[in-house]
Amino acid sequence: MQTHPVPGSFRRRGPLRLLLLIGVGLAASGCHPGNQEAKLLSRSCESGDVTACNEFAARLQQGEYVLRDEPRAATLFQRACDGGVGTSCASLGVMYQRGRGVRRDSARASDLFRQGCERGGMEGCTRLGVLHLRGVGAPRDVERAAALFHQACDGGDVTGCAELGALYAAGEGVEQDVDRAATLFQRSCDSTTTTGCVGLGRLYSAGAGVPRNDSLAVKLFDDACDEADAAGCFHLGRLHESGAGIAQDFGRAAALYRNACDRGHGEACYSLAALYEKGAGVRRIPERVTELHRRACELGHAEACPRPKGP
């Protein structure tokens, strides 16, 4: 004789089964090697191992197998930095630069990048170089920036290689050498650093240091844009607008410029304004043009800023 569960009985057992499954899941999660490693790092850090403090802080910062806790991560990065771990100084500098887990302090960030660089944290060299290049948080000194990027690249920081490549491509702080720039960009891009891929794409688009290849430039920009790189989206938008290596599509160009503009790329805001001004790919809206020019100027694109009237 076939039996069927009583509806009420089924409803009562459902939550119990769900709780049992959740309990099993939590138990399995607690036994995950990542959780055990985090516990060991925490214990080692408390025992005075500053390298363990650095690694545990990185996990706290990302919420990797532990509850995310940025203020505690900052405390542990400081402990490791004081103990001579250069990467911790650089990581803490980024937190001060962005105001994550600590109050934003650009001067403190600059000093931590310097400490990180001096203690072998190559990311600190790269980030300090960027500050000198832009003249933000440190005196503008392009030659000093080039030296720091060179140090970082030689030390294995591929973002430093990409930044150095950009200086060689432009001839800023170093003698212009597009072949050298291409080599540095390639090295960086091979390590999946989007800055390097964008730089390499620009060389392929211009045929400088490498044979011109618009299709490859499109791929490099597209891959970088997919990784949320604003410059990659901007340069891909330019190719869509011009039709170089890809079908001309003003609507797609506008979408890419908007993406990059929203991520803080000033020239992308300016280029999007030009499309709104012409009504290309978007509806013509003069008010939007003004708004985008103001945004581009705030982001440092000088061409978008109002020019002082003459006497």
Side-chain angles (χ1 to χ4, degrees), residues 129-233:
V130 170
L131 296 184
H132 279 295
L133 180 63
R134 297 177 180 171
V136 177
R140 178 166 166 78
D141 187 338
V142 182
E143 291 184 357
R144 174 66 177 147
L148 286 163
F149 294 149
H150 203 297
Q151 181 179 349
C153 183
D154 286 347
D157 187 83
V158 290
T159 302
C161 298
E163 295 289 355
L164 183 59
L167 294 186
Y168 272 110
E172 288 187 79
V174 291
E175 186 175 347
Q176 188 174 35
D177 186 340
V178 290
D179 292 330
R180 175 73 173 142
T183 300
L184 288 163
F185 284 144
Q186 185 70 66
R187 178 178 172 185
S188 180
C189 187
D190 286 344
S191 297
T192 67
T193 302
T194 57
T195 306
C197 296
V198 171
L200 189 60
R202 294 183 69 181
L203 294 186
Y204 275 112
S205 183
V210 290
R212 179 166 178 166
N213 189 328
D214 289 326
S215 296
L216 184 51
V218 167
K219 183 181 186 316
L220 287 164
F221 294 148
D222 194 21
D223 289 347
C225 185
D226 284 345
E227 294 296 323
D229 186 291
C233 297

Side-chain angles (χ1 to χ4, degrees), residues 58-303:
R59 296 195 181 206
L60 287 168
Q61 190 178 32
Q62 300 299 323
E64 185 180 348
Y65 298 112
V66 291
L67 289 175
R68 189 174 183 178
D69 188 339
E70 289 186 312
R72 188 181 176 200
T75 298
L76 294 180
F77 277 139
Q78 183 67 69
R79 184 185 301 176
C81 177
D82 291 342
V85 182
T87 53
S88 286
C89 303
S91 296
L92 183 58
V94 174
M95 297 185 80
Y96 273 103
Q97 190 176 50
R98 297 175 179 172
R100 300 296 300 269
V102 291
R103 182 173 295 181
R104 182 175 295 176
D105 186 335
S106 58
R108 177 78 174 128
S110 178
D111 184 57
L112 282 163
F113 293 149
R114 178 189 57 76
Q115 290 182 51
C117 184
E118 291 173 351
R119 296 170 189 178
M122 293 298 103
E123 183 187 358
C125 301
T126 297
R127 290 188 175 275
L128 183 59
V130 170
L131 296 184
H132 279 295
L133 180 63
R134 297 177 180 171
V136 177
R140 178 166 166 78
D141 187 338
V142 182
E143 291 184 357
R144 174 66 177 147
L148 286 163
F149 294 149
H150 203 297
Q151 181 179 349
C153 183
D154 286 347
D157 187 83
V158 290
T159 302
C161 298
E163 295 289 355
L164 183 59
L167 294 186
Y168 272 110
E172 288 187 79
V174 291
E175 186 175 347
Q176 188 174 35
D177 186 340
V178 290
D179 292 330
R180 175 73 173 142
T183 300
L184 288 163
F185 284 144
Q186 185 70 66
R187 178 178 172 185
S188 180
C189 187
D190 286 344
S191 297
T192 67
T193 302
T194 57
T195 306
C197 296
V198 171
L200 189 60
R202 294 183 69 181
L203 294 186
Y204 275 112
S205 183
V210 290
R212 179 166 178 166
N213 189 328
D214 289 326
S215 296
L216 184 51
V218 167
K219 183 181 186 316
L220 287 164
F221 294 148
D222 194 21
D223 289 347
C225 185
D226 284 345
E227 294 296 323
D229 186 291
C233 297
F234 166 68
H235 287 290
L236 183 60
R238 292 185 70 177
L239 294 185
H240 273 290
E241 184 177 3
S242 66
I246 198 167
Q248 189 175 46
D249 186 337
F250 291 112
R252 178 65 177 147
L256 287 162
Y257 288 152
R258 187 176 298 109
N259 184 323
C261 178
D262 289 344
R263 294 181 183 279
H265 196 289
E267 192 173 357
C269 302
Y270 188 69
S271 296
L272 181 57
L275 294 184
Y276 272 107
E277 194 167 25
K278 294 182 288 189
V282 289
R283 188 163 55 90
R284 194 174 183 214
I285 307 176
E287 296 82 3
R288 184 75 173 126
V289 175
T290 302
E291 177 188 335
L292 285 165
H293 279 169
R294 182 172 60 251
R295 171 74 171 148
C297 180
E298 289 171 352
L299 289 170
H301 189 63
E303 196 173 347

